[in-house]
Structure formats: structure tokens, C-alpha cells
Amino acid sequence: MSVQLMWCKNTVLLFLFLGISCGKTNKFETISEKLDVKNENTLSKKDNLESFKPIIVGANQTEAYLNLLKNKNVGIVANQTSVVFKEHTASTFKNKKNTHLVDSLLSLNVNIKKVFAPEHGFRGQADAGEVVKDGFDTKTGLPIVSLYGSNKKPSPEQLKGLDVVVFDIQDVGARFYTYISSLHYVMEACAEANIPVIILDRPNPNGHYIDGPILEEEHKSFIGMHPIPVIHGMTIGEYAQMINGENWLNNNIKCELTVITMKNYNHKFTYSLPIKPSPNLPNDIAINLYPSLCFFEGTNISVGRGTELQFQIYGAPFLPKTDFSFTPQPNFGSKYPKHENKVCYGVNLTNSPKLNSLDLSYLINAYNATSDKSKFFLTNGFFTKLAGTKQLQNQIEAGESIENIKATWKDGLDKFKKIRSKYLLYN
């Protein structure tokens, strides 16, 4: 897909803020003018001046971690987002060149023994929920160990002989996005094996707000392991520190953790991801809408899997006919999309303003528009796993207002924010 020309220079793609005009919109990267950070996140004049400094991700700071890997047997937790960015300016932005972390470290004579791959696989091509098998990387010949499916936690045998594990995955800041669950299991397995973990930190594209119900203990799963809200507002390095600090690892063990922090990053910044973090999050609009639309995955409403507008539209054959419709068909992002080959009527959100909080209106409007309410929520309890509580479904079914629903989250969010503040590495 094509790339949008943005204000950016040096190593990483920094896509900024209020008042920055951009080029023509396209599918792969979004429109900063539509993703302005507003309200409490509005940047000051000083912030705007400082924002022109390029964000330098952890992976690009080789000088900060190369000595930690010398003469060591290294394991890498990585996928297609694990890259070292090359210098470029706005004029050469379309040629976004980068080097995969594995290739970069091999060129520096780092002794990588194996690669661990999360959901969607090492190259990020597997469907959501698809079992990813172990294998070998065709380019490097390195063994790849899948951390999705039956083997979510590295076994002692898989870690045997390793001296250190590097974790470098681009997250999107939502509790049900499984990369932070993989992070937990990697930290836990390494702690049990006395292997240190190095986190190469990256920005959180949804790091500018915190919202949603807190996960309840009885609803823990791989799409929600910890008592945090749907949107936690932390980078993966900060979140790793919280996992350690809140004693969430098995038997309260601690992982020996080093976080290679970013330079010039602020939680208020709008960061446009240069590489799709997973097959069905193709651009910044989808990433911004994902936390709000993902609730539909626990219903019979499609979020556009099987189209080119994943997590930017929603609809179903049983919703009232509208001017907008789509027909899900098998494609790269979804082999078996919901309502395959059926016309779905619904809403196109591609021109929506940037969200700075969870938007429940999509969910509630679709529920209210469904004539047979018994067909709306899936009966397998998946919606409850996504929400982290049974209360949200009960509130929607009872016809409660968005204001009343969100009021029930306040105490939990206030408590979480206090805990979160202990682990922040950036403003």
C-alpha cells in the first residue's frame, strides 16, 4: 500500500500533532489532521517545538544494548515490527527503509540462537487466533518458536542454553491485544530460568488516554491477564515494569529486566506506525478505532475482516439497510471472515475524528438497531472476556446510558492511574 508524506526525519516515523498539515490520505498511514490530540492532551507551544525532534526507538539505540549481548547466546522475541530504522527525511519518506532487528544483530556478530514469535507469527501473516507452528526462518535459517497456540509460554527446554532474551514488539496499547500477554509469559519463563530480559521500547499509538472497565480476576484469559483497563496508556517497557512491580508473575517472582527507553517520546504525541502491527490493523485509523470496535468481536457484528477496511467499518446482514454496505470475503487478513459472502449493512468510520476515549456509541447503536436482540452477543462468553467483566453486557442489555456506564468505571480507573504512575518512563 502507498504511504502518506509526513513531517518526519531521522530514524523513526514521528507523526505529530495539532496543526501539522499532511499530504493526501491513503490506506497505509493516516491523516494527522484527523488524528489531532485534543482536550487534556493538547500540546503547549513548547511541546510543539520539542515535538519536531525525531523519536528514537529502543531498537535504534544499538550503543545502549549491544554490550549486553556480546559473547552471549541470545533469544529474540520479534515479529515484522521489530526493525531498526534507517535515516530518511520527508523528501525520501516514501522509501521507508529499515533493517529487521534480527538481521541487524546478526550483522553485528550477535550470536542469536532462536527467535520466539507471538500471535500472527514472525512475519505477521497469520490470522487472528490462527495457530502458528514452529519452524525456521527462510532468510536466516534460525529456528522459530511459536508463542501462540498451545505453547504460549517458553518452556525450559526452549530457553535452554540462552543467556539473555530480547523483546522487541510494537504494541497498540489495548488490554486484549495479545502481545502484552506474550510479554508476561516471556518474563515469567525467563525469571524461572534466571535469564535476563531486555525490552527495546516503542511508542504506544493509543498512549494518550486511559479508559475502560478494569479486568476482573474471574475473567482472566490470554486476551486479558491483569487488572488493568481496556486502554492502559503505557509503552510496552512501562508495562513490563508494572508486571514486575505488581508481582503479577507466578509465585511473585521477579524478572531481571532492562528497558532501553526511547528518546524524545511523550505520551501525548501522535505516532503513526510505519509497519502494520497485525494483518487486520492496516493503518492509524484502524489502530485508533480498534479498542472501541474490538468489542464487536464478541458479537455477531462484523468489523470489516475480509475487506480492506478492517476495524474502520462495522455491520451485519441483520442490521437495517443503509447507504453503506460491504461483503466480507476471504483475504490476506482473514481466511474465514464473519458473514462471509453476505451483504452487511452498517457504518463507515474512515472519516471519523480521532478518539481520545473509548466510544461505546457504536456498540450501543448496533445493539439497539438489532431487532432480535438474542442474535447480538455471541453465546460463548467472548464478549465478557473482551470487556473483562459481565457488567458491560448487562448494562447494554438494560439500556443504560453511556454516561452511566462510564461512571461505573471511574473508581477502578482512578486506582489504576495511581498504580500506573509508579512505572512511567516518559511524560
Side-chain angles (χ1 to χ4, degrees), residues 114-118 132-135 143-148 151 154 158:
K114 63 182 63 175
V115 175
F116 297 90
V132 179
K133 297 180 180 180
D134 294 348
I144 297 176
V145 178
S146 171
L147 296 182
Y148 193 73
N151 183 56
Q158 290 166 342

Side-chain angles (χ1 to χ4, degrees), residues 77 116-119 145-149 151-154 182 186 222:
V77 184
F116 297 90
E119 183 178 8
V145 178
S146 171
L147 296 182
Y148 193 73
N151 183 56
K152 294 180 174 66
K153 177 179 176 179
S182 295
V186 167
F222 194 62

Side-chain angles (χ1 to χ4, degrees), residues 15-128:
F15 301 118
L16 302 165
F17 334 108
L18 302 171
I20 297 180
S21 61
C22 300
K24 187 176 179 180
T25 304
N26 57 45
K27 294 180 180 179
F28 190 68
E29 287 173 24
T30 77
I31 26 184
S32 289
E33 64 266 27
K34 289 188 178 178
L35 298 183
D36 286 343
V37 180
K38 300 178 180 178
N39 301 325
E40 71 274 14
N41 296 307
T42 301
L43 300 181
S44 67
K45 183 176 180 180
K46 179 181 177 182
D47 286 329
N48 263 303
L49 291 173
E50 292 178 347
S51 71
F52 284 90
K53 296 178 182 178
I55 294 174
I56 303 176
V57 298
N60 266 77
Q61 299 177 64
T62 313
E63 72 284 353
Y65 61 88
L66 189 58
N67 284 338
L68 302 176
L69 306 179
K70 282 187 175 180
N71 302 316
K72 303 283 181 65
N73 293 328
V74 180
I76 305 282
V77 184
N79 65 4
Q80 76 284 354
T81 67
S82 311
V83 300
V84 176
F85 295 98
K86 294 183 179 180
E87 289 189 1
H88 58 272
T89 64
S91 62
T92 60
F93 183 71
K94 286 187 177 181
N95 302 315
K96 287 193 292 190
K97 296 179 179 179
N98 53 63
T99 303
H100 197 281
L101 177 67
V102 169
D103 298 329
S104 175
L105 293 181
L106 287 174
S107 72
L108 294 170
N109 298 315
V110 173
N111 187 24
I112 300 175
K113 304 300 286 187
K114 63 182 63 175
V115 175
F116 297 90
E119 183 178 8
H120 307 296
F122 180 48
R123 299 297 178 187
Q125 297 178 338
D127 282 1

Side-chain angles (χ1 to χ4, degrees), residues 11 177 187-188 266 344 357:
T11 48
Y177 206 60
M187 289 176 61
E188 188 171 88
N266 187 307
C344 295
S357 63

